[in-house]
Amino acid sequence: MATWDGVQAFATTPAAAPPPPGTPHRSLEERLAYHSRFVTVRTPAINALAKNVRTLMILGRHQAVTARPSLIVTGPAGAGKTTALLQVGRACHLAHTRRHGAAATAGQAPVAYVLVPPAASAKTLAIEFARYLGIPVTAGMSQAQITNAVCHTYTAARVQLVMIDEIHRLNPRTTNGAQSADLIKDLTERIGATFGYAGIDVTTTPLFTGVRGAQLAGRASLIDCAAFPSRLGDQEPFRDLITAMESALDLRHHRPGTLPRLAPYLHERTAGRIGSLARLIRQAAITALLDGTERITKTTLDAIRLDHLAEQHYQPRARPRSRNTSTL
């Protein structure tokens, strides 16, 4: 995904979808592949992000003096931040192609996606921006030369949305972190694009501290991609999420309504994190296909080992001891 070819393939590949009613059964291999990819549920975070990105792109379209307003998707690990960011990037790419036509957009790259490397320096981060569009970088090039090449090429490619993931890795309190933050600020002022960032709990990191942090905080709005609550007033957003995922299953003997009835248990297993929930349901579906049961039950779910974060959170209730015990 950290190259234009990868993002273009992601954006143009049809999204996974359950078979329409009345269509012939798909083969086992086809259904294993489908549950491996599975659907992306349109969550409130994705909706909010899409709306804000579109607004900010219009807002900054003719802003040429200072950096355009940006946004940051924040939340705990496994909350779907990267998924939300990439889905909005896909929508931006497809909208650009529809608006201008495939022939007119040849050679253009409306969307960029860059990962912040661990302990990134300004130069290594600039190299990541260059690598995305295949800009040649030689060992003797300075950071300024790489940055100039990036700004020129991104402008020529008409990049409209720059997505920077793992932004929590930047620490402006360190020399490398401060220089990397300065590089991003420079890019936002020289590339005519809207910038969107994603990171783990960024408000609790040093990202917003100091002068550089204040500059970012003064330009970026936050989209909180928090874990799903089991109940929100009269609504049950987590149960709704489970229902949407269950309706996308392609299992021949699964009983609709089974998973929503297990909503309290599933919330305990996953702490409400969409990433853990999606993994649990996908693994359960693949297990059901491989063992031939073609249905997901609580027994199926109990047998699956989830990510360590979810397993640490989950504390199954011990069964009460029977009172009918005998002593010798």
Side-chain angles (χ1 to χ4, degrees):
M1 292 298 295
T3 65
W4 164 236
D5 289 341
V7 169
Q8 186 179 37
F10 166 76
T12 55
T13 300
T23 56
H25 289 310
R26 296 191 284 194
S27 69
L28 175 62
E29 286 303 318
E30 287 174 324
R31 290 186 295 146
L32 286 171
Y34 165 69
H35 288 102
S36 176
R37 291 179 61 200
F38 209 44
V39 298
T40 298
V41 177
R42 189 84 178 183
T43 64
I46 293 178
N47 290 333
L49 182 59
K51 181 179 180 181
N52 277 270
V53 165
R54 184 182 180 190
T55 303
L56 291 181
M57 289 177 73
I58 296 172
L59 181 64
R61 185 171 293 165
H62 302 291
Q63 184 171 329
V65 178
T66 59
R68 290 159 175 78
S70 59
L71 55 80
I72 300 177
V73 186
T74 184
K81 300 177 297 299
T82 297
T83 298
L85 200 63
L86 289 174
Q87 288 302 315
V88 171
R90 179 207 290 266
C92 178
H93 172 88
L94 295 177
H96 181 79
T97 304
R98 284 194 304 268
R99 188 162 54 247
H100 300 287
T105 56
Q108 297 182 10
V111 175
Y113 177 77
V114 176
L115 282 168
V116 176
S121 67
K123 186 171 183 177
T124 59
L125 183 56
I127 290 173
E128 288 300 306
F129 275 89
R131 185 166 72 91
Y132 177 78
L133 284 185
I135 302 170
V137 174
T138 62
M141 290 178 70
S142 67
Q143 177 199 320
Q145 289 173 318
I146 299 171
T147 302
N148 288 338
V150 165
C151 293
H152 171 77
T153 308
Y154 275 53
T155 300
R158 297 187 64 181
V159 175
Q160 299 176 5
L161 175 64
V162 177
M163 303 177 292
I164 303 179
D165 208 348
E166 307 289 348
I167 194 69
H168 58 270
R169 289 176 173 172
L170 291 184
N171 182 358
R173 293 175 180 171
T174 67
T175 300
N176 278 345
Q179 292 173 351
S180 298
D182 286 343
L183 170 67
I184 291 177
K185 180 177 180 294
D186 188 24
L187 295 177
T188 62
E189 293 174 346
R190 296 177 61 185
I191 298 174
T194 297
F195 279 64
Y197 312 91
I200 298 174
D201 295 331
V202 296
T203 55
T204 64
T205 70
L207 191 63
F208 284 160
T209 60
V211 174
R212 294 174 178 86
Q215 286 179 325
L216 178 61
R219 290 174 173 170
S221 54
L222 284 181
I223 301 291
D224 192 0
C225 202
F228 278 69
S230 58
R231 181 174 290 277
L232 189 62
D234 296 331
Q235 299 179 328
E236 296 182 78
F238 191 71
R239 188 185 297 272
D240 294 340
L241 177 63
I242 295 168
T243 301
M245 288 187 177
E246 184 185 65
S247 67
L249 292 172
D250 190 5
L251 300 174
R252 295 174 187 172
H253 304 308
H254 184 77
R255 296 178 180 177
T258 299
L259 297 184
R261 284 193 291 271
L262 294 173
Y265 160 77
L266 290 170
H267 198 272
E268 289 183 13
R269 282 292 310 266
T270 64
R273 287 188 290 267
I274 189 173
S276 299
L277 177 67
R279 174 176 168 175
L280 179 60
I281 292 177
R282 288 164 58 214
Q283 284 190 233
I286 291 171
T287 299
L289 286 169
L290 293 176
D291 65 20
T293 58
E294 298 262 356
R295 65 167 63 93
I296 299 177
T297 65
K298 187 173 181 297
T299 302
T300 313
L301 297 166
D302 277 338
I304 292 172
R305 294 291 296 177
L306 266 181
D307 57 274
H308 184 60
L309 194 62
E311 294 294 347
Q312 278 188 313
H313 169 82
Y314 180 54
Q315 298 294 331
R317 295 184 179 88
R319 294 182 179 179
R321 297 180 61 183
S322 172
R323 296 181 180 179
N324 299 324
T325 57
S326 58
T327 56
L328 297 178

